[in-house]
Amino acid sequence: MDGIHPTGPAARGLAWATALYLVLPILIIVPVALTDQRYLSLPQDGISFQHFRTVFASPEWLGSIWQSFIIAVCATVLSVVAGTLCAIGCWRISRRATDLVRVLMLLPLIIPSIVYAIGLYRYFGPLGLLDRFAGVVIAHGVTGIPYVVITVSTALAAFDPRLEQAARGMGASLSQTLRWVILPRIAPGIFSGAIFAFIHSWDELVMVLFIASRDVFTLPRRIWDGINENLDPAMAAVAVLLVLFTTLLLMADRALRRRSEG
Amino acid sequence: MTAAGRPGIGWWLLILPALLLLLVFYIGPILQVLAISVTEPEPGLGNYERIFTSESVQRVIITTLRICLITTVLALLLGYGIAYTITLASPRAKGWWILAVLVPLWISVLVRAFAWVTLLRRQGLVNNTLINAGVITEPLPLVWNEFGIIVGMVHYMVPFAVLPMLASMREIDPRLLAAARGLGASRGQVFRQVFLPLSKPGILAACVLVFIFSLGFYITPAILGGGKTLMVAEWISLQILDLIRWGLGTMMATMLIFAIIATLVVFSRIVDLRRIFGSGA
Amino acid sequence: MSAAGHALALRGLTKRYGDFTAVDDVSLEVAQGEFLTLLGPSGSGKTTILMAVAGFVAPSAGSILLDGREITPLPPEKRNFGMVFQGYALFPHMTVAENVAFPLRVRGLSRADRDTKVRAALDLVQLGTFADRLPKQLSGGQQQRVALARALVFDPNLLLLDEPLSALDKKLRAELQEELKALHRRVGRTFINVTHDQEEALSLSDRIAILNHGKLIQSGAPGTLYEAPRTRFVADFLGKSNFLEGTVQGADADGFVLAAGPDRLRVRLPAGSAVPAEGSRRLLSLRPEKISLLSDGEAADNTVDGRILAWSYLGAGFALRVATPSLGEIRAVLPAWQAAIAPAEGLPVRLGWSADAAVPVEDDAP
């Protein structure tokens, strides 16, 4: 019934204005990153890649990018393993018994990260986890679990529980059922969750501001300092790289989902 | 269900790692925040008295509520326009519209704040363009004030407003719109009397989501407020990192949690919360 | 409600979606007060025609006329047609009375006028006591009647019904068919109904238009279509039929003889029909209920011997599948009183039918 009731000009106008408001500011950083000037501005006499060269020649930026990447990978592994197992357990055990667990899993999405960050600041001190790689991985990994639980639960909702019962009925053990029946079916959901958990850690700033200072200095932390101290076009170059990276990850997710949906 | 069909202990073990991680490394720190708020600098509710006595505490609460309300209203209005257009668009156009909503959602909040600073500061692209065009002679104060915060926050929140509204609009049977037109209703009447009332659950869910996300929002207000307009989250960080006043900081953090839970409880009576978080990720 | 029907005409109506032609040059007249059914399998274009009449689909070519006036460019809300949607499309957030009042509200009627008309419309469908319920609190049949009341309350020029009974179970469907028919007589309006259910079409309609692949195949009174289908598709879609193919021999003014293998089948044509050319290939449609089982020595215009391949008991009679050496498998339906034998698989039988039982049809099978 498409087109039976098309939108009116007012709604279309509002939607277009909003879409431009959402997308244009993000696109504007591209010409700014390519400016030939030494300060934040649009290119004047032609485009230049000098600011990208600055970023790639800077051990600070490269160090932060590498550190952020390793932290995000480790945190993602933690989130995916814990989150996937939890989602499968909650799915198989009755809904009511696991309601509390589900609510608990949503808390990191609901409670502002500033509250968690100041809590961690005090909590990690005695544990010796402040400004430690492991501390940041734990913080990001734990708060990434909800993304995995949600995507995997969504994938499981479309999965017939009788398949699991049939597998067990044919003599498969729990771990065999998991490996051969359940996991292959929900792999796209796990992958989506992994991408979201990765982006969550990769972009996370608030916790890092409190629990890391010198030894651990992630990319968002360096951008934050850059915005607050020296606004130069190299920042725009970093921003462009980040946008490209995020877009690539999302496109990988889309492509994978489309393939699994056939 | 037979005994064989009942889930065994093995399934509970699957939940255990996540549960332990969350209890030890999430609930633990949060509970500690609640505890500090009534124990430091001395045991008692002294920190909470400041809500009634300290003008600066009251100011930050009122500023936060004002900005959150304005943000929620604007994000809902803009988000509704997009969600409505997506719902009625052809399948191909739908994909592009959704992309326009989802890409900003996943782009780093820092990148977005940086983009707004680039655009809105005194020598920024907007002011420069307007001055070169001769519209203004003096740069407009577009950022490092409440205006800048709201521009950046609405930009961040619109996708969160769109998702629940879109989910609820998808449930509206397009035949109802056709039926209304067939029965003689104009486009405006179809919208006001059929579409709008049917999309109300989505509006409420979006309202809750945007409001609670706005309440504790840190990065965008901190960058675009320039330290002059303080919202709750930045104020908390100031208390802890710069003034080392743990009692006050944790008190405000506790208030933040309670405000969010209260909002959820109130709205859970009129809207299914699964609507909010089912589509949140 | 005044009894004033309107006449509708479609002239060369065509709707293309890219390369796909959903409706192909359909011309059709609907008389004042007539109950017309568009009948066809899914994808035959029947719903597209209805949507074009309602104004939801813009035709690629052709025109739609109401009482001779062109209405093709009018938007749906300006056509003043009542429509009952598939699944009813009742507004879930409005009560029954509010649903029925909706078309009156958008036309700016006063509350008092609205109340009077809504009550009359609900009484018409015997739902007066349900005015304050929400649609989800009603049964399927009740929802269907609310949709009817809503479509009739504003004195529409035309009532369009899109598979109005398809969501109901079989028994309820039969009941509502009766009601719909009675309602049509009472309100005296022009009804256009779309369905894929041939029984519904036969029992409800004054006239049926049969569609396939976007083309109008045949239109006419139910009895005409059933007794004298123009093509194989019509004979097959409207009821069941046996198809016998052969070469025309010995044609005369009265009819002809069809040679199918060794068999010679006598066909009598109604007076005035064209006689097929000698030697041409023709297809006959023979309804199963027109075949009788012959006892020893009994004669008929046409006879064929065979063995029962399978049989089933229908309550009112038997259905037989009979294998014949020359005509292939033939289906026959026998009333119980006529089945003098106890059917059994492999039993040799003799089938017979009169010369006017089989009618020649065009072979439009794919």
Side-chain angles (χ1 to χ4, degrees):
Chain A
M1 288 237 179
D2 291 305
I4 279 180
H5 182 77
T7 43
R12 285 196 84 77
L14 180 63
W16 270 103
T18 310
L20 292 180
Y21 166 65
L22 287 179
V23 175
L24 274 190
I26 296 168
L27 294 183
I28 201 76
I29 59 172
V30 176
V32 171
L34 294 173
T35 187
D36 51 352
Q37 308 292 308
R38 295 187 162 278
Y39 54 93
L40 275 184
S41 62
L42 291 177
Q44 303 205 327
D45 303 319
I47 61 165
S48 145
F49 287 92
Q50 55 171 324
H51 304 295
F52 286 92
R53 278 196 293 274
T54 313
V55 172
F56 285 120
S58 144
E60 286 92 12
W61 281 113
L62 291 180
S64 286
I65 290 174
W66 180 243
Q67 212 169 30
S68 267
F69 183 77
I70 296 294
I71 288 174
V73 168
C74 296
T76 302
V77 171
L78 189 65
S79 305
V80 165
V81 171
T84 304
L85 294 179
C86 176
I88 295 174
C90 286
W91 165 74
R92 187 58 185 79
I93 300 166
S94 73
R95 190 158 188 111
R96 186 165 302 178
T98 56
D99 258 358
L100 189 67
V101 180
R102 284 167 197 272
V103 170
L104 215 58
M105 291 297 151
L106 284 179
L107 281 183
L109 294 179
I110 301 170
I111 294 179
S113 41
I114 180 76
V115 176
Y116 179 53
I118 62 170
L120 272 187
Y121 187 31
R122 269 291 267 271
Y123 199 77
F124 272 3
L127 298 177
L129 286 169
L130 280 182
D131 205 18
R132 288 280 173 280
F133 177 80
V136 179
V137 167
I138 290 173
H140 286 178
V142 168
T143 46
I145 293 176
Y147 297 98
V148 181
V149 171
I150 288 177
T151 55
V152 175
S153 295
T154 310
L156 282 168
F159 181 78
D160 187 349
R162 279 171 305 183
L163 287 181
E164 181 265 323
Q165 286 165 351
R168 298 299 289 273
M170 286 181 267
S173 71
L174 176 60
S175 73
Q176 285 169 329
T177 312
L178 272 182
R179 266 181 297 148
W180 295 337
V181 180
I182 298 176
L183 287 180
R185 289 280 305 169
I186 59 170
I190 297 174
F191 188 76
S192 279
I195 285 181
F196 294 145
F198 183 93
I199 296 179
H200 161 74
S201 164
W202 174 256
D203 283 347
E204 206 291 321
L205 170 66
V206 181
M207 298 169 210
V208 167
L209 278 179
F210 283 81
I211 61 170
S213 49
R214 261 186 303 278
D215 292 346
V216 180
F217 210 84
T218 62
L219 183 61
R221 181 67 201 267
R222 198 167 290 284
I223 298 176
W224 166 264
D225 280 12
I227 295 178
N228 286 320
E229 282 152 27
N230 53 327
L231 278 169
D232 70 63
M235 293 286 310
V238 174
V240 168
L241 293 174
L242 269 180
V243 170
L244 283 179
F245 186 60
T246 311
T247 313
L248 276 179
L249 280 180
L250 288 177
M251 274 161 59
D253 180 49
R254 251 171 102 93
L256 203 89
R257 268 193 233 196
R258 196 165 293 167
R259 217 176 67 189
S260 71
E261 280 161 12
Chain B
M1 193 167 262
T2 59
R6 187 178 300 156
I9 190 81
W11 297 101
W12 283 100
L13 287 175
L14 294 182
I15 299 182
L16 210 57
L19 196 60
L20 280 180
L21 275 173
L22 225 66
L23 286 176
V24 174
F25 287 111
Y26 193 83
I27 303 300
I30 299 280
L31 287 180
Q32 198 177 19
V33 168
L34 305 188
I36 295 171
S37 75
V38 288
T39 52
E40 287 184 22
E42 63 220 18
L45 294 174
N47 291 319
Y48 290 89
E49 274 173 29
R50 299 291 282 273
I51 300 174
F52 305 103
T53 56
S54 159
E55 208 179 300
S56 77
V57 172
Q58 287 168 353
R59 196 169 51 236
V60 73
I61 292 177
I62 288 171
T63 307
T64 306
L65 286 178
R66 185 177 58 235
I67 293 178
C68 288
L69 284 176
I70 297 175
T71 302
T72 308
V73 169
L74 289 177
L76 251 62
L77 189 71
L78 299 183
Y80 197 93
I82 284 222
Y84 180 69
T85 305
I86 294 176
T87 308
L88 300 183
S90 67
R92 189 188 312 193
K94 231 173 236 183
W96 285 106
W97 282 108
I98 289 176
L99 204 68
V101 173
L102 284 189
V103 167
L105 178 66
W106 285 105
I107 298 267
S108 158
V109 57
L110 274 167
V111 169
R112 287 190 272 168
F114 169 75
W116 282 115
V117 170
T118 313
L119 281 169
L120 298 180
R121 69 203 176 103
R122 274 182 74 83
Q123 313 85 0
L125 298 177
V126 172
N127 271 323
N128 273 349
T129 312
L130 289 178
I131 288 173
N132 289 342
V135 181
I136 52 170
T137 48
E138 281 294 301
L140 296 170
L142 298 174
V143 75
W144 295 313
N145 53 24
E146 212 166 301
F147 175 82
I149 294 184
I150 290 173
V151 167
M153 276 184 55
V154 172
H155 186 253
Y156 183 84
M157 294 299 168
V158 165
F160 289 107
V162 170
L163 292 178
M165 290 200 283
L166 192 58
S168 127
M169 288 180 190
R170 276 197 182 127
E171 290 167 19
I172 299 177
D173 185 344
R175 279 179 305 199
L176 293 177
L177 310 180
R181 290 198 78 184
L183 294 167
S186 66
R187 201 201 307 279
Q189 283 169 324
V190 174
F191 177 73
R192 279 193 308 277
Q193 296 180 15
V194 180
F195 196 91
L196 189 61
L198 287 174
S199 61
K200 219 162 71 189
I203 300 178
L204 282 173
C207 185
V208 177
L209 190 69
V210 171
F211 187 74
I212 64 174
F213 277 10
S214 302
L215 273 181
F217 205 28
Y218 179 60
I219 298 169
T220 302
I223 291 175
L224 298 175
K228 292 188 203 101
T229 308
L230 280 188
M231 283 180 67
V232 160
E234 196 183 359
W235 188 87
I236 294 173
S237 121
L238 209 67
Q239 300 304 315
I240 307 276
L241 289 181
D242 297 333
L243 306 171
I244 333 266
R245 291 201 291 220
W246 275 91
L248 272 187
T250 52
M251 177 277 286
M252 196 64 104
T254 311
M255 292 301 297
L256 197 50
I257 297 179
F258 279 126
I260 287 168
I261 291 175
T263 309
L264 286 174
V265 168
V266 167
F267 276 90
S268 68
R269 289 165 193 277
I270 35 180
V271 59
D272 183 3
L273 290 185
R274 234 164 273 150
R275 265 183 197 291
I276 305 178
F277 296 105
S279 58
Chain C
M1 275 173 232
S2 59
H6 291 257
L8 186 86
L10 308 179
R11 298 273 158 79
L13 191 73
T14 301
K15 178 66 190 177
R16 281 183 288 267
Y17 295 100
D19 293 339
F20 174 68
T21 305
V23 177
D24 194 356
D25 194 21
V26 169
S27 296
L28 191 63
E29 308 268 340
V30 191
Q32 269 188 16
E34 193 175 34
F35 195 128
L36 174 94
T37 295
L38 301 172
L39 177 68
S42 60
S44 61
K46 56 190 193 301
T47 302
T48 311
I49 294 178
L50 195 77
M51 289 295 164
V53 171
F56 294 120
V57 166
S60 313
S63 53
I64 303 164
L65 297 101
L66 186 72
D67 296 331
R69 269 182 311 113
E70 168 101 37
I71 58 161
T72 324
L74 283 185
E77 64 268 25
K78 294 275 184 323
R79 296 194 181 195
N80 209 38
F81 290 171
M83 180 145 182
V84 175
F85 283 79
Q86 204 173 357
Y88 321 132
L90 297 179
F91 303 123
H93 60 299
M94 300 182 191
T95 63
V96 166
E98 284 167 347
N99 261 288
V100 177
F102 182 87
L104 305 173
R105 211 165 104 207
V106 301
R107 284 170 174 74
L109 262 72
S110 75
R111 176 168 285 276
D113 288 354
R114 255 160 33 197
D115 288 350
T116 324
K117 286 191 176 236
V118 167
R119 203 165 313 125
L122 284 178
D123 286 343
L124 186 71
V125 295
Q126 294 144 39
L127 279 176
T129 51
F130 292 87
D132 296 324
R133 302 256 186 113
L134 287 172
K136 64 171 182 235
Q137 296 167 315
L138 301 182
S139 71
Q142 289 167 336
Q143 291 184 14
Q144 203 263 357
R145 289 188 293 184
V146 175
L148 270 173
R150 189 178 67 172
L152 286 168
V153 70
F154 58 102
D155 287 320
N157 293 332
L158 214 61
L159 187 68
L160 308 175
L161 303 141
D162 185 8
E163 309 243 2
L165 306 173
S166 64
L168 304 170
D169 64 54
K170 201 172 171 187
K171 192 147 179 250
L172 201 55
R173 202 152 58 204
E175 225 169 85
L176 279 161
Q177 268 176 25
E178 300 275 315
E179 257 183 58
L180 202 55
K181 211 168 167 175
L183 190 72
H184 174 243
R185 273 199 300 272
R186 255 196 328 269
V187 300
R189 244 150 249 287
T190 314
F191 280 33
I192 300 180
N193 178 37
V194 157
T195 187
H196 61 265
D197 180 341
Q198 41 123 345
E199 268 177 53
E200 181 189 320
L202 287 172
S203 80
L204 277 177
S205 327
D206 295 327
R207 209 151 55 86
I208 299 174
I210 295 199
L211 294 143
N212 193 25
H213 299 308
K215 288 198 174 69
L216 177 65
I217 309 294
Q218 189 177 8
S219 74
T224 313
L225 292 190
Y226 190 82
E227 295 296 335
R230 196 172 65 75
T231 74
R232 179 184 183 133
F233 175 78
V234 174
D236 207 25
F237 196 72
L238 216 55
K240 287 187 177 122
S241 210
N242 296 296
F243 294 99
L244 313 171
E245 202 181 356
T247 315
V248 175
Q249 282 183 354
D252 55 34
D254 204 23
F256 60 91
V257 170
L258 192 79
D263 289 305
R264 295 290 173 271
L265 307 175
R266 180 75 214 149
V267 179
R268 185 156 52 235
L269 293 170
S273 17
V275 178
E278 191 80 21
S280 61
R281 298 288 293 172
R282 293 300 306 202
L283 192 70
L284 295 180
S285 158
L286 177 61
R287 297 286 184 195
E289 69 274 12
K290 302 218 163 164
I291 299 173
S292 46
L293 200 60
L294 303 180
S295 46
D296 285 345
E298 200 179 338
D301 293 345
N302 297 296
T303 60
V304 63
D305 290 307
R307 281 177 187 280
I308 295 181
L309 204 60
W311 62 277
S312 54
Y313 181 57
L314 300 176
F318 292 97
L320 303 182
R321 277 166 55 205
V322 176
T324 65
S326 50
L327 294 175
E329 189 180 310
I330 289 188
R331 288 161 185 275
V333 172
L334 308 171
W337 54 265
Q338 213 230 351
I341 48 138
E345 274 171 40
L347 189 77
V349 287
R350 188 142 200 256
L351 302 175
W353 61 92
S354 81
D356 49 13
V359 291
V361 293
E362 246 173 65
D363 192 1
D364 58 353

